[in-house]
């Protein structure tokens, strides 16, 4: 089997996902084309040496629909002979795109791929495409569907995660992200967004709240209590699936949940032969990849079984991993991961995460992979693992090893 390597990883800054956000006037097409051109220019790509562009986004409707990947190729400076493939694995779409490209390199189908994703949440609202799991009663009722916020509160209730612990984790995420920006830890990866005249639009993650403290978070009302408890409420649906619980403790709010943002990220993955032909040095080898389905009501626990699976595939144990990126969809997701593996918090999301900087659904997985790679290089560490929970009950994970 041919080895698959990562040669480059870049991302845009994340803009606030609302009409007054800096990226609101930028389309998903333009932001995607900007990333493709950035990877082309940084790595001297002529274009034809790429087999495909695989691009993920979670809400594939309107301007984010119609095979956005191919549209982005045509809007960029890449050769028009390169096709494009749009994929959707919800929150893990960006990482899944990289995994698909890597798997095809490993199987000998092409020497190089650009993979990643985009989500313009200020322009294409989450859920605006509809979803059978949420709207078709024949599926939603049978599988005890609840919104993700209820699922996050269910995790907290089932595994004894308190509001205080969730808030403390959120404060730490803000602190770590602010420090990372102050120390320019993201400098290599960030591709500033400019307008058509080359004037700057956004060069820094916009959703950061570095002054956040426990007192401020304690004043926030739980975001999902009302939809959980109003009759008929989603709490009752969740408790039908988990009757051992007396009630759902609602601990999540805007301050300890991932921020809604706009953004895009891209990764250049290829074979050793591609790197030699292009004069590019690989930054990391993709050692193992895995995805899994998990129980759909609690939904967001997928990072645990998929991490177990990817470690088995790599012949490794949790202690062999130097650094982790676990998507901060909600505080309870990461706290449950730490609890399940008795992992060292100092190795997990050490530059903050989506609670501080935001979660642009289709782009986040590729963003986390780039952050992990940059941090492995900065700290001189060897091996890292990135994992994300996924809507409707799935998990995705990848282990990379510095070259």
């Amino acid at each position: 089997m041919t080895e698959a390597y990562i040669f480059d990883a870049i991302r845009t800054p994340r803009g606030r996902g609302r009409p007054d956000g800096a990226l609101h006037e930028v389309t998903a097409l333009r932001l995607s084309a900007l990333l493709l051109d950035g990877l082309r220019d940084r790595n001297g790509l002529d274009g034809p040496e790429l087999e495909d562009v695989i691009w993920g986004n979670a809400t594939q409707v309107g301007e984010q629909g119609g095979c956005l990947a191919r549209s982005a190729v045509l809007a960029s400076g890449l050769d028009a002979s390169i096709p494009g493939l749009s994929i959707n694995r919800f929150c893990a779409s960006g990482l899944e795109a990289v995994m698909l490209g890597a798997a095809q390199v490993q199987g000998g189908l092409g020497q190089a791929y650009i993979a990643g994703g985009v989500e313009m949440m200020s322009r294409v609202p989450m859920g605006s495409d509809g979803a059978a799991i949420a709207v078709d009663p024949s599926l939603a009722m049978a599988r005890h569907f609840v919104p993700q916020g209820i699922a996050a509160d269910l995790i907290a209730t089932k595994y004894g995660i308190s509001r205080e612990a969730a808030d403390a984790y959120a404060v730490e995420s803000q602190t770590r992200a602010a420090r990372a920006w102050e120390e320019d830890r993201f400098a290599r990866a960030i591709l500033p967004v400019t307008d058509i005249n080359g004037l700057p639009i956004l060069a820094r993650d916009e959703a950061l709240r570095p002054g956040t403290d426990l007192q401020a978070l304690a004043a926030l009302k739980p975001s999902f209590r009302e939809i959980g408890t109003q009759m008929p409420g989603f709490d009752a649906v969740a408790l039908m699936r988990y009757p051992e619980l007396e009630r759902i403790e609602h601990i999540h709010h805007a301050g300890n949940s991932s921020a809604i943002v706009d953004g895009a990220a891209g990764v250049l993955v290829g074979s050793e032969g591609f790197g030699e032909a292009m004069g590019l040095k690989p930054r990391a080898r993709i050692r193992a990849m895995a995805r899994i389905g998990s129980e759909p009501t609690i939904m967001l626990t997928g990072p645990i079984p998929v991490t177990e699976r990817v470690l088995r595939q790599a012949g490794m144990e949790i202690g062999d991993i130097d650094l982790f990126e676990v998507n901060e969809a909600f505080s309870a997701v990461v706290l449950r991961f730490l609890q399940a593996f008795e992992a060292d918090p100092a190795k997990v999301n050490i530059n903050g995460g989506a609670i501080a900087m935001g979660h642009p659904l289709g782009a986040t997985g590729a963003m986390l992979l780039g952050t992990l790679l940059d941090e492995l290089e900065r700290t001189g560490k060897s091996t890292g693992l990135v994992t994300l929970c996924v809507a409707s009950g799935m998990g995705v994970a990848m282990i990379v090893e510095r070259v």
Side-chain angles (χ1 to χ4, degrees):
M1 183 177 69
T2 302
E3 295 280 10
Y5 296 91
I6 297 171
F7 290 90
D8 201 6
I10 61 174
R11 71 171 177 93
T12 67
R14 300 164 170 104
R16 284 193 299 268
R18 57 195 194 199
D20 63 350
L23 298 182
H24 176 63
E25 299 301 322
V26 182
T27 65
L29 174 62
R30 185 169 184 278
L31 206 66
S32 299
L34 180 73
L35 261 292
L36 298 184
D37 285 339
L39 286 167
R40 179 202 63 182
D41 296 343
R42 282 167 55 124
N43 297 282
L45 302 176
D46 296 324
E49 62 274 358
L50 296 173
E51 184 72 21
D52 206 350
V53 169
I54 306 176
W55 213 239
N57 64 289
T59 308
Q60 298 190 352
V61 66
E63 64 188 51
Q64 289 189 169
C67 193
L68 178 61
R70 175 58 176 167
S71 297
V73 170
L74 296 176
S76 75
L78 292 177
D79 194 286
S81 66
I82 302 168
L85 172 65
S86 289
I87 66 160
N88 182 2
R89 201 185 290 278
F90 299 123
C91 302
S93 297
L95 185 61
E96 181 65 41
V98 179
M99 290 167 63
L100 288 175
Q104 294 190 71
V105 169
Q106 291 171 341
L109 183 59
Q111 293 295 303
Y113 290 75
I114 288 179
V118 66
E119 206 79 35
M120 299 304 293
M121 300 180 75
S122 71
R123 298 178 63 88
V124 185
M126 179 171 51
S128 58
D129 55 345
I133 187 66
V135 303
D136 187 333
S138 68
L139 178 61
M141 293 176 68
R143 288 297 185 176
H144 300 99
F145 167 79
V146 298
Q148 288 191 26
I150 300 293
D153 287 340
L154 178 58
I155 292 172
T157 304
K158 182 173 175 60
Y159 295 104
I161 297 168
S162 68
R163 165 74 181 259
E164 292 74 18
D167 286 354
Y169 181 81
V171 170
E172 184 65 17
S173 180
Q174 294 284 353
T175 301
R176 291 179 175 189
R179 181 178 63 234
W181 271 103
E182 290 169 2
E183 297 179 0
D184 291 328
R185 295 186 187 182
F186 301 128
R188 180 172 183 176
I190 292 292
L191 182 69
V193 179
T194 58
D195 65 16
I196 58 175
N197 297 311
L199 298 175
I201 295 176
L202 186 65
R204 180 184 176 91
D205 291 326
E206 191 180 22
L208 289 162
R209 301 181 299 275
T212 300
D213 57 25
L214 288 173
Q215 184 177 1
L217 295 186
L220 298 177
K221 295 180 179 180
S223 297
F224 310 104
R225 178 182 290 161
E226 185 173 344
I227 63 170
T229 57
Q230 65 185 5
M231 297 300 293
F234 283 108
D235 283 8
V237 177
L239 293 173
M240 290 174 64
R241 180 63 182 82
Y242 291 89
E244 70 274 17
L245 301 177
E246 181 179 352
R247 62 182 179 276
I248 306 297
E249 300 291 343
H250 293 285
I251 72 164
H252 287 96
H253 50 74
N256 59 24
S257 307
S258 55
I260 294 173
V261 294
D262 300 327
V267 177
L268 176 61
V269 59
S271 66
E272 184 176 15
F274 162 76
E276 291 174 349
M278 297 298 298
L280 299 173
K281 182 180 179 181
R283 297 174 63 187
R285 176 174 71 96
I286 297 175
R287 180 158 176 175
M289 305 178 288
R291 63 277 282 177
I292 202 168
S294 60
E295 201 285 302
T297 302
I298 204 165
M299 194 185 312
L300 307 175
T301 56
I304 295 163
V306 81
T307 293
E308 293 170 342
R309 174 175 286 188
V310 79
L311 287 170
R312 286 195 302 270
Q313 290 181 357
M316 301 174 72
E317 298 179 354
I318 198 74
D320 297 326
I321 304 297
D322 296 315
L323 294 174
F324 299 84
E325 286 291 328
V326 182
N327 188 37
E328 294 177 355
F330 300 89
S331 282
V333 173
V334 185
L335 292 173
R336 173 57 188 150
F337 184 91
L338 292 168
Q339 182 188 78
F341 292 108
E342 298 182 349
D344 181 357
K347 295 182 177 181
V348 179
N349 301 347
I350 66 174
N351 289 323
I355 290 173
M357 294 176 284
H359 176 20
L361 308 177
T364 302
M367 286 185 173
L368 295 182
L369 180 58
T371 297
L372 178 64
L373 183 55
D374 286 344
E375 192 61 19
L376 286 172
E377 292 172 342
R378 188 188 73 84
T379 59
K381 304 293 186 182
S382 174
T383 305
L385 186 151
V386 56
T387 184
L388 299 94
C389 58
V390 185
S392 73
M394 292 183 281
V396 175
M398 176 187 288
I399 296 174
V400 297
E401 184 177 67
R402 280 183 60 213
V403 176

